[in-house]
């Protein structure tokens, strides 16, 4: 599997998007709470 | 290494043993940090513990499978490296959020909020991985009530060890947001865990990439929020004598986390995570019995300890008796099939890996494995030689008793994993 195809699969995976969204929420909270 | 013995023990009971062993070790991980009596900032403490976790990963766990196996496992499922790094980052950000939560609302309010992480994990388990799908109502009720009982127990035990609150009421909203954020992140962190195991990855491989993500994120956060590299280095230099205890805490934590990973693999996150969350009762045992933290506690506090301990045992018993079978196992295999179809994995091989079989992937240890272990151990010895032992009253009889439990759980958990799956 090529890197590009693999990246596309990961970035369109609902499980990845849920985890990434949680991380972004966490980082946003950290920046806001500083 | 011995061949796996499928008939020796069911995977459900193996997962239960791993979950409970994780609880014993994760609970003990805080004990060494109680010996840190210098004024290190929370960022520096977090960084040192995670550095300890990273270093400890390369001590005896290296000998379980060897680096050749781990490298081959990671190379055969490259897409999962991103997931493991993500899980490490989620852990690190959540841990930092708890610092803010404690600062702004205090432990009494923040603690119950982030302890609900196992319920968030249960939600993701059901929605994203089809756990409990097809299970009978009795099994579902046992898992749900067992998880709730363990959350309530953790809250009761947390309250029992509180002595006053120094929170600033003016920042209450911010503190609650931080605590809820930590709960969300620690609950979501198990999504990558389960994802990796449904794809047949070995927990030792996952933890390897996980600790890299964890260390990189903690380092970045400590750098950005802890006053910069110069301030951080100066702080660490001043507190050399305390570093060993934080590294030791990291060592104990990584052993617990490894068992937690195996629990997530063989039980799923809906059942495995609440069982690992029994760590609260062991953390309290170390605090109360060894460090005398409940000395002088009134009857109300002792009643909380008793109620919390009973609730935790009931919760653990409910989950332990809720083995997946029939349609629920079919749902798990469908979730596994989704991974195989999406990422081009071999279904049969992945299924074998998921069921604790290596599928011919086992490799021996090489000379560099021993060199890595020697180097990692040398770091601990070097730090140990500089360790400062504070004048703290400790009850050594209880310490020995809890250490024996720690060792026994390691032997039972380790031998079970070795005999049943050869650490697969």
């Amino acid at each position: 599997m090529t890197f590009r195809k693999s990246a596309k699969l990961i970035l369109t995976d609902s499980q990845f998007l849920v985890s990434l969204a949680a991380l972004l929420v966490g980082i946003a909270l950290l920046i806001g709470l500083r | 290494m011995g061949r796996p013995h499928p008939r020796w023990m069911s995977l459900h009971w193996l997962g239960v043993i791993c979950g409970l062993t994780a609880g014993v070790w994760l609970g003990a991980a805080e004990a060494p940090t109680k010996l840190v009596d210098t004024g290190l900032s929370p960022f520096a403490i977090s960084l040192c513990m995670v550095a300890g976790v990273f270093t400890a990963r390369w001590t005896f766990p290296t000998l379980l499978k060897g680096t050749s196996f781990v490298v081959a496992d990671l190379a055969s499922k490259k897409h999962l490296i991103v997931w493991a790094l993500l899980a490490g980052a989620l852990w690190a950000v959540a841990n930092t959020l708890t610092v803010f939560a404690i600062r702004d609302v205090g432990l009494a309010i923040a603690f119950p909020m982030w302890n609900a992480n196992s319920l968030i994990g249960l939600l993701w388990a059901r929605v994203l991985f089809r756990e409990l799908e097809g299970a009978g109502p009795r099994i579902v009720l046992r898992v749900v009530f067992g998880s709730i009982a363990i959350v309530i127990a953790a809250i009761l035990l947390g309250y029992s060890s509180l002595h006053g609150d120094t929170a600033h009421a003016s920042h209450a909203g911010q503190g609650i947001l931080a605590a809820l954020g930590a709960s969300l992140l620690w609950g979501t962190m198990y999504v990558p865990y389960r994802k990796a195991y449904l794809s047949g990855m070995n927990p030792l491989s996952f933890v390897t990439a996980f600790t890299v993500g964890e260390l990189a994120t903690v380092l970045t956060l400590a750098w950005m929020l802890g006053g910069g590299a110069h301030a951080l280095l100066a702080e660490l230099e001043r507190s050399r004598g305390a570093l060993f205890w934080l590294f030791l805490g990291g060592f104990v934590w990584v052993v617990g986390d490894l068992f937690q990973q195996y629990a997530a693999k063989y039980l799923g996150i809906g059942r495995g995570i609440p069982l690992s969350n029994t760590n609260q009762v062991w953390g309290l045992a170390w605090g109360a019995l060894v460090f005398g933290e409940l000395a002088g506690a009134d009857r109300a506090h002792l009643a909380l300890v008793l109620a919390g301990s009973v609730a935790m045992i009931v919760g653990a018993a409910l989950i332990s008796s809720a083995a997946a079978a029939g349609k629920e196992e079919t749902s798990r295999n469908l979730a596994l099939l989704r991974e195989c179809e999406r990422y081009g994995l071999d279904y049969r091989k992945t299924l074998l890996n998921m069921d604790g079989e290596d599928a011919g992937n086992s490799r021996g240890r090489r000379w560099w494995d021993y060199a890595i272990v020697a180097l990692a151990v040398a770091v601990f010895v070097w730090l140990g030689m500089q360790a400062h032992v504070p004048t703290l009253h400790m009850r050594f009889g209880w310490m020995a008793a809890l250490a024996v439990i720690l060792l026994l759980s390691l032997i039972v958990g380790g031998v079970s994993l070795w005999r049943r799956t050869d650490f697969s």
Side-chain angles (χ1 to χ4, degrees), chain B residues 244-375:
Chain B
F244 174 73
W245 305 115
L246 295 169
F247 267 62
L248 188 61
F251 178 88
V252 179
W253 188 88
V254 87
V255 176
D257 189 54
L258 267 172
F259 280 108
Q260 187 178 35
Q261 303 280 348
Y262 280 108
K265 177 172 181 176
Y266 292 120
L267 279 183
I269 53 180
R271 292 170 174 89
I273 305 315
L275 283 184
S276 310
N277 277 4
T278 54
N279 68 334
Q280 203 65 36
V281 79
W282 294 106
L284 184 68
W286 278 91
L289 301 173
V290 178
F291 297 98
E293 287 176 359
L294 286 183
D298 55 24
R299 291 181 72 171
H301 276 81
L302 294 176
L304 284 176
V305 174
L306 188 66
S309 304
V310 170
M312 196 154 274
I313 291 166
V314 169
L318 280 171
I319 294 173
S320 302
S321 63
K327 286 182 184 170
E328 194 184 354
E329 283 201 328
T330 309
S331 300
R332 184 207 70 168
N333 293 347
L334 286 172
L336 194 145
L337 183 63
R338 177 223 187 242
E339 298 307 311
C340 293
E341 285 179 344
R342 188 174 178 87
Y343 293 100
L345 303 170
D346 183 319
Y347 178 71
R348 190 184 155 275
K349 194 176 168 190
T350 308
L351 195 62
L352 281 172
N353 280 334
M354 185 69 193
D355 286 338
E357 303 285 337
D358 265 335
N361 205 16
S362 246
R363 289 152 196 251
R365 261 95 47 212
R366 309 294 292 268
W367 66 266
W368 55 78
D369 290 321
Y370 297 101
I372 290 169
V373 173
L375 195 65

